[in-house]
Amino acid sequence: SAVISQKPSRDICQRGTSLTIQCQVDSQVTMMFWYRQQPGQSLTLIATANQGSEATYESGFVIDKFPISRPNLTFSTLTVSNMSPEDSSIYLCSVGGQGGGYNEQFFGPGTRLTVL
Amino acid sequence: LAKTTQPISMDSYEGQEVNITCSHNNIATNDYITWYQQFPSQGPRFIIQGYKTKVTNEVASLFIPADRKSSTLSLPRVSLSDTAVYYCLVAIPNNAGNMLTFGGGTRLMVKP
């Protein structure tokens, strides 16, 4: 298993600003993912963070709003840009399990974002 | 339209067996079905995954019929600490490939 940490654990931000969330893994992993989870709701995949290339975004999510960096195999950042109250959510990163697959994922503790 | 559907909530008592079913009417033919457990203020935790028939590990069993249009997570003899939200995760085909899709989650309440 992998140990994943996220920073910050929570934040309260003003409308129109941006927040960068960091995800650190204790081992090198091939696949890293970013999810959004609104309180009491299920998880929605935002994008797959690819090391050495641009992230792969799911339908409804775009790079201008959620730029992602993946400088190496243990670290990734997700930026929530030009925030609005609708962006208030929990943002989670995860990594693929053994063999690099996406089925057995290990999740970070999440970052709780509130936009005023 | 492909959907992934779970019961919103279930109640049980300590020591009982709990079965949670996820319906997924159109999933990728070559991908696993995976189940996760989530406690408040934590990220989901992997429980079990399977492709077809039955899979069992130290905490749960997973039953998948031949048509793979559903899957059932079975928790034997639940305890209070099993109170959590349980999600299925499947890959749904779309125009861009396979989309990882979590079910809506089933909130399990285990009572003493």
Side-chain angles (χ1 to χ4, degrees):
Chain A
S1 64
V3 177
I4 304 162
S5 59
Q6 288 186 231
K7 290 181 181 180
S9 58
R10 59 178 61 229
D11 207 342
I12 300 173
C13 302
Q14 295 297 319
R15 180 196 299 261
T17 63
S18 298
L19 176 72
T20 296
I21 302 167
Q22 299 179 8
C23 178
Q24 180 74 53
V25 190
D26 68 342
S27 59
Q28 293 187 337
V29 293
T30 303
M31 305 189 80
M32 292 183 76
F33 308 92
W34 286 98
Y35 288 86
R36 182 171 70 183
Q37 183 177 31
Q38 297 186 318
Q41 303 296 313
S42 184
L43 292 86
T44 300
L45 180 63
I46 297 172
T48 301
N50 302 308
Q51 196 269 330
S53 64
E54 199 170 273
T56 305
Y57 290 85
E58 298 299 314
S59 176
F61 298 97
V62 294
I63 188 171
D64 290 345
K65 176 67 176 178
F66 297 102
I68 288 171
S69 79
R70 178 89 192 270
N72 56 51
L73 293 176
T74 64
F75 186 79
S76 178
T77 66
L78 169 75
T79 299
V80 186
S81 304
N82 188 25
M83 289 184 285
S84 66
E86 291 72 33
D87 295 319
S88 296
S89 191
I90 300 168
Y91 292 85
L92 300 110
C93 70
S94 74
V95 302
Q98 291 181 350
Y102 52 68
N103 290 289
E104 185 181 350
Q105 296 178 44
F106 298 96
F107 284 81
T111 295
R112 183 178 292 270
L113 170 63
T114 302
V115 183
L116 302 178
Chain B
L1 179 65
K3 288 184 60 176
T4 307
T5 306
Q6 302 178 232
I8 293 175
S9 64
M10 297 181 70
D11 288 346
S12 183
Y13 291 92
E14 283 190 291
Q16 289 187 332
E17 177 184 83
V18 171
N19 296 308
I20 305 173
T21 297
C22 177
S23 298
H24 26 78
N25 61 349
N26 180 27
I27 64 171
T29 56
N30 58 345
D31 259 325
Y32 285 93
I33 298 163
T34 313
W35 282 80
Y36 290 83
Q37 175 191 57
Q38 187 176 32
F39 297 111
S41 302
Q42 295 185 23
R45 185 181 71 161
F46 171 87
I47 302 174
I48 195 169
Q49 72 178 21
Y51 182 74
K52 59 181 178 181
T53 63
K54 177 184 175 182
V55 179
T56 298
N57 63 20
E58 62 275 10
V59 298
S61 294
L62 180 60
F63 299 90
I64 303 169
D67 64 5
R68 292 179 22 101
K69 291 184 182 297
S70 68
S71 59
T72 299
L73 174 72
S74 181
L75 304 172
R77 299 179 299 281
V78 294
S79 63
L80 296 177
S81 61
D82 292 318
T83 294
V85 181
Y86 293 83
Y87 294 96
C88 62
L89 172 64
V90 298
I92 305 287
N94 62 17
N95 292 336
N98 291 337
M99 182 173 68
L100 291 181
T101 304
F102 275 88
T106 299
R107 189 173 300 274
L108 172 65
M109 173 67 72
V110 180
K111 303 174 183 177

